[in-house]
Amino acid sequence: MRYLEHAEPVITLTAGPVNAYPDVLRGLARTVLYDYDPAFQLFYEGVVDKAQKAMRLSNKPVILHGEPVLGLEAAAASLITPDDVVLNLASGVYGKGFGYWAKRYSPHLLEIEVPYNEAIDPQAVAAMLKAHPEITIVSVCHHDTPSGTINPIDAIGALVSAHGGYLIVDAVSSFGGMKTHPEDCKADIYVTGPNKCLGAPPGLTMMGVSERAWAKMKANKAAPRASMLSIVDWEHAWSKDQPFPFTPSVAEMNGLDVALDLYLNEGPEAVWARHALTAKATRAGVAAMGLSIWAASDKIASPTTTAVRTPEGVDEKALRQAARARYSVVFSSGRGETLGKLTRIGHMGPTAQPIYAIAALTALGGAMNALGRKLAIGKGIEAALAIIDADA
């Protein structure tokens, strides 16, 4: 079959899906239990408890059974009513995209949009909240992955909380790879998943929901119920004594259980540190080779993804194809407005290790050379090794 021509082993250094930890893959091979088996119901409650600990929540998180785009759309459908005034913060393709969902549920949409290599300024948020006291909901993407940039959600969350608004946070590709938790940023709905920095396959949403958000969703008669988009239906599903609204993804729960164990046993701070070190080494090498990152400054560059600006005259798609063909290394393209303008190197989960910075630089530099753009690959690797050695 023709698809097997592309099935050879590769090093996946993408912005997601990412490589899964071997232990997670073994976890997926566990027995698929009947969802009403008391053993599974007890197991499910235990996994939710681990997620609560990892997310540092004071209440139980929700697990929705679909990859995190389900959680993001469900947040819009459940929390936003036609009377809400929504302020959407757009610093990239994904942040902009949430505004389209928000507009579906309320005609009252305001937006702060900045160039997609910059971050949202909390002062701009403060000014907008002051000018529009009618704003009730603010939405923000923490790590806008197609740009590799980070927004200051803790500062934004403090402003929204003081305003009395509700905050929806997309932390899909940041949680587990840096210090961020729902209650740190005062999020009312905080959406993430195991398929990025936790090193598990796509298939589940992990969601922190504040008590006031629960109350608002339950009061919203238009909030989905008896639906894949329902959050309300899953409020008590964590309990071994409660039925599931529909059959949960048993195998994915097996994998999540292992992923959470790995994260908690290694220690979150240690996990964040190796993500940061791998990104720092990669960016040092990128600069030494004569390339530049997409982010306007290192300060807002994500520790989970390095977005490298495509030099003028280079075909970005051909660059990624050369990296795969010559080095068996797979990178991500941009998305939407950043497509063709940058190449993304993921540092998430198993590939958030310094050795992968060297692999990324070798493949990126070698692919550039193959396309006729000669780079000093050796200097890039030396710069990366200097960062790694200094941390040893």
Side-chain angles (χ1 to χ4, degrees):
M1 296 183 182
R2 291 191 59 82
Y3 69 85
L4 291 177
E5 296 174 8
H6 302 284
E8 70 276 8
V10 296
I11 300 173
T12 303
L13 301 181
T14 65
V18 303
N19 281 349
Y21 289 105
D23 284 354
V24 171
L25 295 177
R26 284 189 285 272
L28 291 168
R30 291 176 184 169
T31 300
V32 175
L33 294 173
Y34 173 52
D35 59 328
Y36 278 91
D37 186 328
F40 179 74
Q41 291 177 307
L42 183 63
F43 166 75
Y44 192 98
E45 183 173 316
V47 177
V48 173
D49 286 345
K50 291 177 186 179
Q52 180 180 5
K53 183 177 181 181
M55 297 173 77
R56 301 185 181 180
L57 282 165
S58 55
N59 62 358
K60 297 294 183 185
V62 173
I63 296 176
L64 297 183
H65 295 267
E67 70 102 11
V69 71
L70 170 65
L72 292 168
E73 187 172 357
S78 300
L79 195 69
I80 299 172
T81 73
D83 296 328
D84 281 310
V85 178
V86 181
L87 172 61
N88 186 51
L89 307 179
S91 62
V93 174
Y94 290 166
K96 183 71 173 180
F98 190 86
Y100 304 138
W101 281 323
K103 188 73 171 177
R104 183 185 300 168
Y105 300 104
S106 172
H108 314 295
L109 179 68
L110 301 171
E111 202 159 63
I112 296 174
E113 186 171 6
V114 298
Y116 288 2
N117 65 335
E118 297 181 5
I120 300 294
D121 183 349
Q123 292 184 352
V125 177
M128 183 70 87
L129 293 173
K130 183 177 180 180
H132 294 276
E134 70 275 17
I135 291 171
T136 52
I137 295 177
V138 177
S139 53
V140 60
C141 181
H142 186 201
H143 171 208
D144 213 302
T145 325
S147 298
T149 52
I150 294 290
N151 281 311
I153 57 170
D154 288 4
I156 291 168
L159 292 169
V160 175
S161 177
H163 180 77
Y166 294 81
L167 180 66
I168 299 172
V169 173
D170 172 349
V172 175
S173 57
S174 59
F175 175 77
M178 62 191 82
K179 187 179 184 298
T180 175
H181 306 96
E183 293 176 9
D184 292 348
C185 61
K186 304 183 186 301
D188 291 287
I189 297 184
Y190 180 101
V191 181
T192 187
N195 54 306
K196 300 281 188 173
C197 302
L198 293 182
L204 297 173
T205 295
M206 298 161 59
M207 181 180 287
V209 181
S210 72
E211 295 303 328
R212 64 198 294 263
W214 278 121
K216 189 177 191 307
M217 289 189 295
K218 285 186 278 189
N220 178 12
K221 294 181 180 179
R225 291 167 174 82
S227 164
M228 280 290 290
L229 285 176
S230 177
I231 300 172
V232 173
D233 288 354
W234 288 87
E235 180 182 10
H236 301 295
W238 59 269
S239 172
K240 64 182 183 299
D241 300 318
Q242 296 293 323
F244 298 109
F246 56 79
T247 304
S249 303
V250 177
E252 296 289 350
M253 290 296 295
N254 290 339
L256 175 59
D257 180 54
V258 177
L260 290 169
D261 280 343
L262 292 173
Y263 179 71
L264 293 170
N265 291 340
E266 182 177 351
E269 288 76 9
V271 177
W272 307 336
R274 61 177 171 83
H275 279 78
L277 176 60
T278 306
K280 185 178 179 181
T282 301
R283 287 199 267 275
V286 165
M289 287 196 300
L291 300 171
S292 60
I293 62 172
W294 176 259
S297 71
D298 280 337
K299 184 178 179 180
I300 64 168
S302 170
T304 61
T305 298
T306 295
V308 181
R309 186 178 293 273
T310 305
E312 188 174 349
V314 172
D315 182 328
E316 197 276 332
K317 182 177 180 180
L319 174 67
R320 285 182 290 105
Q321 289 175 335
R324 192 186 195 285
R326 297 170 68 89
Y327 301 96
S328 294
V329 171
V330 179
F331 298 129
S332 289
S333 63
R335 291 286 182 90
E337 291 190 25
T338 65
L339 182 64
K341 300 176 182 178
L342 56 84
T343 301
R344 292 181 291 159
I345 304 169
H347 326 292
M348 298 183 189
T351 57
Q353 296 285 358
I355 187 61
Y356 288 106
I358 306 304
L361 294 168
T362 301
L364 183 67
M368 286 278 190
N369 286 352
L371 296 180
R373 182 62 61 99
K374 300 302 180 183
L375 300 180
I377 302 175
K379 289 184 178 180
I381 292 174
E382 287 178 6
L385 288 173
I387 296 294
I388 296 165
D389 290 343
D391 186 78

